[in-house]
Amino acid sequence: SKEAFGLALIDGYGEFFARKLDRHLRNPALSPLQRLHAFVQDAQSGMARFAYRRGCLIGNLGQEMAALPESFRTRLIATFEDWQRRVAECLVEAQASGQLAMDVDTQRVAAFFWIGWEGAVLHAKLEQGPAPLETFAALFFAGLPVSCGRAWAWPAIRSHEFIAVITSEVPPTRPSCSRKRRRVVGAPVLAEVGFFVRIQKLLRGMRWSGVMP
């Protein structure tokens, strides 16, 4: 039946993409956050090869759920949860290696990654360009709370308006590492605060460090 064919298609794509994730997220030659960065770069390159006209089959089907059999919903959710679990495991490794603060809820951050990434893929298809992917990825990595004395250096925040390098420098007037764990300059904290509050913190830090006027 068409329904059975559709479910088999979801399973096949889910397994294919899971292998792609594992190829990056389990790469022992890279640190955990570098692995996630490598996946983002590879996925963006894949979209660029097709002029940003192709996206994610699972995300596309999710958007059409109102016209699809209800059995698809459970299968699509399970696929996203599987991908989310793989990213969460990578984030746990980042905690163990000292790249990521130990009090980070890796499950929620992994869920946030996929919610944001799928939205960025949709916008990249709409705009037929990389800006949405670059903007989401840059802000996601900049917002990761880092372990005391460490910082994840995202190469650059690229958008329509600016390019800014995130560094591990902190203002001398900020609390020391012994009082409060250090974070990337201006990095928004993925906590129970509004999205725009996090963005405002990031931009204030970037202005302080001189990378923005």
Side-chain angles (χ1 to χ4, degrees):
S1 67
K2 291 182 179 179
E3 182 174 351
F5 175 77
L7 292 173
L9 185 63
I10 292 172
D11 290 343
Y13 185 89
E15 292 171 2
F16 156 77
F17 203 83
R19 290 193 297 271
K20 180 176 182 177
L21 279 171
D22 287 345
R23 186 168 68 251
H24 291 292
L25 302 185
R26 297 182 180 179
N27 181 0
L30 300 176
S31 69
L33 293 186
Q34 286 174 332
R35 298 171 198 169
L36 188 55
H37 178 204
F39 160 72
V40 167
Q41 294 290 78
D42 183 49
Q44 180 178 320
S45 297
M47 290 195 70
R49 282 196 297 272
F50 297 99
Y52 298 94
R53 290 186 172 87
R54 296 187 184 182
C56 172
L57 174 65
I58 304 303
N60 291 343
L61 289 174
Q63 294 171 48
E64 302 295 331
M65 193 58 234
L68 297 176
E70 190 61 27
S71 59
F72 281 32
R73 187 186 306 277
T74 302
R75 201 67 59 89
L76 291 170
I77 291 174
T79 301
F80 275 127
E81 288 177 343
D82 177 64
W83 297 353
Q84 178 180 321
R85 176 183 58 80
R86 294 167 195 272
V87 171
E89 289 174 353
C90 184
L91 294 174
V92 169
E93 288 191 51
Q95 288 178 318
S97 67
Q99 284 189 294
L100 190 63
M102 292 302 296
D103 61 350
V104 169
D105 186 334
T106 55
Q107 292 292 335
R108 294 191 71 188
V109 173
F112 175 77
F113 174 83
W114 283 111
I115 291 169
W117 179 254
E118 288 294 325
V121 168
L122 172 63
H123 277 268
K125 286 178 59 183
L126 179 65
E127 298 178 14
Q128 293 190 344
L133 303 174
E134 293 172 345
T135 299
F136 167 73
L139 293 176
F140 173 82
F141 284 104
L144 291 177
V146 299
S147 294
C148 182
R150 289 177 176 263
W152 162 247
W154 173 261
I157 289 183
R158 292 173 287 182
S159 74
H160 301 295
E161 303 294 337
F162 61 87
I163 297 178
V165 177
I166 300 300
T167 73
S168 60
E169 297 175 356
V170 293
T173 57
R174 297 281 179 89
S176 66
C177 188
S178 60
R179 291 180 56 193
K180 187 176 183 180
R181 70 170 179 270
R182 184 181 302 176
R183 290 184 172 89
V184 177
V185 170
V189 181
L190 293 178
E192 299 300 326
V193 294
F195 173 77
F196 290 106
V197 173
R198 297 199 296 271
I199 299 303
Q200 287 171 357
K201 289 182 179 180
L202 174 64
L203 295 178
R204 281 201 301 271
M206 288 162 60
R207 291 191 182 97
W208 173 88
S209 62
V211 296
M212 281 187 65

